[in-house]
Amino acid sequence: DVKVTQSSRYLVKRTGEKVFLECVQDMDHENMFWYRQDPGLGLRLIYFSYDVKMKEKGDIPEGYSVSREKKERFSLILESASTNQTSMYLCASTPGGGTDTQYFGPGTRLTVL
Amino acid sequence: ILNVEQSPQSLHVQEGDSTNFTCSFPSSNFYALHWYRWETAKSPEALFVMTLNGDEKKKGRISATLNTKEGYSYLYIKGSQPEDSATYLCAFKGSARQLTFGSGTQLTVLP
């Protein structure tokens, strides 16, 4: 079974803090994704990566950056957290090679005060 | 940004009822349509990936149909059970490399 883990289930930070959300997958998947989920808006793609050290912007990259130094790990960074970044953050991975089925982590619910 | 819409936004049904909901997506540049189930406090899990117009997929009491020409997919649940309570997400894959998700249908099955 593919396992995607995220570093925290719940996180509370203060405005202006630098926040790191970590995601690790254990099935040697090529592709990794970061989404945020807000009520009524569905999953919105923040950033994705198709290879180590490679990243592409999704639909809502503003205020975020990412890092993929190793194949299994994809980090989402909030350089200076703001209250409008309070959300549920989901990490996902896919094997690549034309297989798009997403394997999701359990999510991190981030609250920025 | 592509427009993928799901309706209804939420739904309450009695145990044993059958139900269905809709996903609408662009009818051009179609590659695939995904359905996921997201139970509270769990990770979203894939139900179906559909690629061909007229496709029908089934998993137990859940089935889905696909019409790529008119840009919609239906998800059906027969004889709903409380364990079917979840948010059901559809996601469209077009010419872009990534999926575009709808906002989901939140299903509550009342015992």
Side-chain angles (χ1 to χ4, degrees), chain B residues 3-9 20-27 30 32-36 50 64-68 70-76 88-93 100-105:
Chain B
N3 195 25
V4 179
E5 294 186 352
Q6 291 187 246
S7 62
Q9 191 169 7
N20 66 86
F21 21 94
T22 306
C23 174
S24 302
F25 52 84
S27 55
F30 176 87
L33 193 283
H34 295 222
W35 281 100
Y36 292 85
M50 308 175 78
T65 61
L66 179 68
N67 183 324
T68 61
E70 296 181 43
Y72 65 84
S73 175
Y74 293 138
L75 190 81
Y76 299 92
Y88 291 82
L89 297 167
C90 69
F92 169 81
K93 174 79 184 292
T100 300
F101 282 83
S103 56
T105 293

Side-chain angles (χ1 to χ4, degrees), chain A residues 30-32 47-52 54-55 68 74:
Chain A
E30 299 290 328
N31 312 316
M32 297 187 75
Y47 266 98
F48 57 106
S49 169
Y50 284 97
D51 202 352
V52 175
M54 177 273 179
K55 60 186 178 185
R68 193 166 181 202
F74 193 35

Side-chain angles (χ1 to χ4, degrees), chain A residues 50 56 90 100-102 105-106, chain B residues 36 38 43 46 49 93 97-98:
Chain A
Y50 284 97
E56 288 192 38
L90 281 167
D100 296 314
T101 300
Q102 307 249 318
Chain B
Y36 292 85
W38 190 4
S43 307
V49 179
K93 174 79 184 292
R97 299 179 79 176
Q98 65 269 32

Side-chain angles (χ1 to χ4, degrees), chain B residues 2 4 9-10 15 20 25 29 31-32 35 45-46 51 54 68 78 80 82 91 96 108:
Chain B
L2 298 170
V4 179
Q9 191 169 7
S10 66
E15 182 175 354
N20 66 86
F25 52 84
N29 296 317
Y31 184 83
W35 281 100
E45 290 185 338
T51 57
T68 61
K78 186 177 178 182
S80 303
T108 304

Side-chain angles (χ1 to χ4, degrees), chain A residues 63-79:
Chain A
Y64 303 94
S65 62
V66 290
S67 172
R68 193 166 181 202
E69 296 295 319
K70 293 185 177 180
K71 191 175 185 179
E72 67 270 19
R73 188 180 296 270
F74 193 35
S75 303
L76 181 69
I77 304 154
L78 287 66
E79 296 290 342

